[in-house]
Amino acid sequence: MTVPARVSRQNPRALTPLADSIARLQSGTEIVFGTPSEDWTICSDLLAEPTRFDLWRKDLAEWMVEQYGESDDRATAGYIMGWYLHQPGYLAGLLFHTARRVPTLKPSDMAFRINPTGRPHPDGMALMCDEFACLPDDPASNHPAATVVADEAALAAVLRARYAAHAAQFVASFGQVVRFGRRQLWAAATDMLEYGPWAAGRLFGDENAGVTDAAMILPEKLEPFVAASSLHFTDEGWKRKRNSCCFHYVLPNAEPCTACPRTCK
C-alpha cells in the first residue's frame, strides 16, 4: 500500500507519472491534469445535486428543438446517461491501453466541461488526482502515488472495480431524476466500460489490442454489469451488441445510430 501524492492539485504543472501519461494522449478530446477552472463541473458536485441533471437536460432539450423541431424526455435522458458515463469509461480505457495505468476514477477526482455553444455535450475532461495502479514493470512503479498489482488481469480488475464504484454513484443520483430503471442504467455503464478500451485501440492504431483490452476488462458477465464484452469480428470489421439505447431514434426524422441495439445484431 502506498501513500497517495496529491501535490499536483496545488501545482498542476508538476509532471507526475499520471500527468505525463495524460499529456501523451492525443485523443481529439481535451484531457487535462489538475484542478480545472470554475466553468468545469466536478463530477461529485453534480452527483450530489441530482436536480442539476434536470438543468442540463433542459439545455439539451432546447438544442433538440432547434435541430429536430421537438425534444423527447427519453432522448435527453439517454444522451446525458451516455455522455456522463463516457467520462470515466473513456479516460480509464485510454490510460489502460496506452500506459497500463488506472487512475482512481472517483467522482471527486474527475471533472468535465460542457460545450458552451450548440449541443451541450462534454467537450473536455480533467483528472485531479495523482494516484494510479500499475504493473510491476512500470517505470514509475516506485513512485509514492503508485499502487502495484501483480499482472494485467489484476490491473483490469482494479479498473473494473473503480469504474463500477463511480458508475454506482451515477446510477443512484441520475436514477432519482429519470424514469430509467437500474438495469437500463447499468446497461449503459456496461456499454461505456467496453467502449473505452475499444475506442482507445482504434485511436492509437491497434484496434485488435483495444478489443483484447475490452475482453480483459469484461471477460464475462460480472455484477453489477449486465454482460461480458460482446465485440466480435464481422465482414465489416469489429462490431458489438449494445446493451443500452440513447433513444436518438425517437426524435423526428432522426435515423437510428449506427450501433443502435434496435437494429444491430
Side-chain angles (χ1 to χ4, degrees):
M1 184 63 67
T2 62
V3 178
R6 292 176 174 266
V7 293
S8 60
R9 283 187 180 273
Q10 288 73 42
N11 181 14
R13 296 182 181 179
L15 200 60
T16 67
L18 207 52
D20 182 49
S21 295
I22 287 175
R24 296 174 187 274
L25 296 177
Q26 301 293 328
S27 67
T29 298
E30 183 179 4
I31 304 176
V32 299
F33 184 81
T35 305
S37 58
E38 292 182 357
D39 58 337
W40 290 59
T41 300
I42 296 176
C43 292
S44 58
D45 291 347
L46 175 61
L47 297 182
E49 298 182 61
T51 54
R52 292 176 59 180
F53 282 113
D54 293 332
L55 299 176
W56 190 2
R57 291 177 66 192
K58 181 177 179 293
D59 290 341
L60 176 56
E62 292 174 356
W63 176 82
M64 286 180 173
V65 170
E66 293 175 359
Q67 297 295 312
Y68 300 99
E70 63 183 70
S71 67
D72 185 278
D73 284 347
R74 290 168 296 175
T76 59
Y79 272 45
I80 287 176
M81 175 176 65
W83 285 345
Y84 184 93
L85 290 166
H86 176 77
Q87 307 306 302
Y90 188 49
L91 181 62
L94 284 172
L95 289 172
F96 184 84
H97 180 77
T98 61
R100 283 301 190 256
R101 291 174 176 171
V102 177
T104 69
L105 299 180
K106 294 177 182 177
S108 58
D109 293 333
M110 293 189 64
F112 61 93
R113 182 186 58 213
I114 296 176
N115 181 35
T117 60
R119 191 178 72 165
H121 62 279
D123 66 356
M125 64 179 73
L127 182 65
M128 303 180 292
C129 180
D130 298 331
E131 297 174 57
F132 65 99
C134 66
L135 299 173
D137 61 355
D138 189 297
S141 60
N142 63 346
H143 192 278
T147 298
V148 179
V149 299
D151 52 31
E152 289 187 337
L155 191 65
V158 170
L159 187 158
R160 187 169 58 246
R162 291 181 175 181
Y163 174 84
H166 189 142
Q169 293 186 56
F170 170 77
V171 169
S173 178
F174 195 58
Q176 297 178 47
V177 294
V178 296
R179 290 180 289 177
F180 293 166
R182 285 182 55 84
R183 203 277 178 193
Q184 192 164 8
L185 293 167
W186 277 109
T190 304
D191 287 336
M192 290 305 170
L193 180 58
E194 178 186 49
Y195 177 78
W198 180 35
R202 289 188 295 179
L203 181 64
F204 288 94
D206 193 344
E207 185 175 13
N208 289 346
V211 170
T212 299
D213 287 347
M216 192 185 315
I217 293 167
L218 279 172
E220 58 183 307
K221 182 181 179 298
L222 298 168
E223 294 292 339
F225 303 106
V226 304
S229 175
S230 63
L231 284 160
H232 56 282
F233 197 74
T234 72
D235 291 340
E236 299 177 348
W238 287 102
K239 301 290 184 181
R240 65 171 177 158
K241 181 179 179 181
R242 284 275 302 271
N243 298 287
S244 65
C245 184
C246 67
F247 296 96
H248 173 77
Y249 75 91
V250 304
L251 297 170
N253 302 315
E255 294 293 329
C257 301
T258 56
C260 181
R262 301 171 65 253
T263 59
C264 294
K265 302 296 184 184

